[in-house]
Amino acid sequence: MSSADVIGGNDDIIMEILLHLPAKSLIKFKLVSRKWLNLISDPNFVLRHYRQSPKTVSAIILSCFMPLDFEAPQTYMYVSLDENQNQNSIQSRADFFSFDPSAPGSIMISQSCNGLLLCYSENYGLPTGTYYIFNPVTNKFSIIPEPICHGNSMINYFSLAYEPTISPFYQVVCLQFYNSSCESLVYSSETETWKDSKNQELEFFSADFHDGVYWNGGIHWLLTSDGTSFRFDIQQETILKVPMPRPPLAENWNPHNLRHFMECQGHLFLIDFDCPEYVIYEMENDRSKWLVKHRLDINLIVTAFPDRLDINLIRNRGNSCNSVLELEKLISPVSLVEVENEGPSLVMYIPGRFISYGFKDNTFKTIGEAKFYESRLGKWYHTFNYMETLSYV
């Protein structure tokens, strides 16, 4: 018997090999045989694959806001961080949400959480749209049933909580605001039902509850004008106030300078612009304080890419803060990612190009060219870190 036959007949060896392959490859290998299909589809294999796979961001999905055409379907751009893929021209992904059974092209992303996307489509005239949980790797989706509306609900906000190292099931939290109070409802994919949580006194304008970020057992919303943030604790099923500690945030910190608030590979970050620097803060695991992790002077970006950014604008105005602010309008920090063997990198968009800056070796790298409007005409108003997963929806 050949060594290939020995390996092919040993399920344990096959499983160990498959566990080291990326999720997209495993989807293709399901077609090899019924045996491989059953093995890769097994929930225990899916869980082991997630736990064993490196928790690296494989791509960034960007929502493009083009103010000149409000009636056009939402456009998304898929920026792969895989160096083995051809990145010479990063295209928009019109086919990314082809799963929409009712109105192709109308799906919008609300949140990305450990490989799953919370998406929705508008149901005009109704208090809520249709919400989906979508896994782009498997191209599978589930429709979240509409929650029961308590009272005359003014507005509903939905957020996704998913931590496959703890449970293969996800939860969707719905906040219903009415009459200066907030009703929390929690949907579980395990029971496929909604349950009421807690009614609390809370105004819907207390924070921007559109942009929930799941991290460390809770969904976080940032920021209010007085520096307070909110957290929905998954175990307690209640909304808690999280005071924004100062310092280490600058005493004159202005929430309007916030460029991004995100979870990345088990860490919670915010990116602030404090002229002339981008300052990256990380929240302590016990949520007690923010720590300054990285700084990047905008002048370094301008010097590295003079063909894309007008370096003379700084030179002629003597590095004044006003000239730096003009240049900063052309730069969009996209995300902070941890690159294997390279450490943390800040991904940015400058006119016509995606670039990254590695804080470990202090070097810039071009990710790819982007066929998109100059940033004066269009802005990334939402970015979503994405990692591949076999997880069920």
Side-chain angles (χ1 to χ4, degrees), residues 237-285:
E237 296 186 342
T238 187
I239 300 174
L240 305 172
K241 268 191 174 184
V242 182
M244 180 61 69
R246 298 179 186 177
L249 290 181
E251 292 183 3
N252 60 345
W253 186 81
N254 185 344
H256 294 294
N257 292 336
L258 177 68
R259 294 298 181 265
H260 275 299
F261 170 56
M262 71 189 76
E263 185 277 339
C264 183
Q265 294 155 250
H267 304 274
L268 190 66
F269 296 105
L270 66 84
I271 302 176
D272 185 49
F273 181 67
D274 185 13
C275 185
E277 293 181 315
Y278 290 112
V279 184
I280 299 173
Y281 297 89
E282 180 182 352
M283 175 67 85
E284 290 261 284
N285 282 334

Side-chain angles (χ1 to χ4, degrees), residues 311-327:
I311 193 170
N312 291 320
L313 187 60
I314 286 183
R315 287 175 175 169
N316 295 338
R317 299 186 183 180
N319 290 331
S320 70
C321 192
N322 286 337
S323 62
V324 172
L325 289 173
E326 284 298 313
L327 283 168

Side-chain angles (χ1 to χ4, degrees), residues 4 46 59 61-62 65 160 196 210 213 241 288 301 307 312 346 362:
V46 173
I61 304 171
L62 302 107
F65 175 58
L160 172 63
D196 293 348
H210 278 108
V213 175
K241 268 191 174 184
S288 62
I301 308 172
D307 60 322
N312 291 320
L346 179 63
N362 300 316

Side-chain angles (χ1 to χ4, degrees), residues 15 39 43 54 72 75 108 116 145 149 157 171 177 210 229 235 241 258 264 266 272 308 333 350 352 354:
M15 178 176 286
L39 178 62
T75 302
M108 291 172 279
L116 299 184
C149 184
Y157 296 103
Q171 294 168 297
F177 288 90
H210 278 108
S229 58
Q235 286 193 333
K241 268 191 174 184
L258 177 68
C264 183
D272 185 49
R308 303 285 173 158
I350 60 177
F354 286 97

Side-chain angles (χ1 to χ4, degrees), residues 18-37:
L18 294 178
L19 283 171
H20 288 82
L21 298 178
K24 280 187 177 180
S25 298
L26 292 173
I27 295 299
K28 297 178 181 178
F29 290 154
K30 283 185 175 183
L31 303 176
V32 171
S33 67
R34 184 176 296 276
K35 178 181 179 180
W36 282 33
L37 171 64

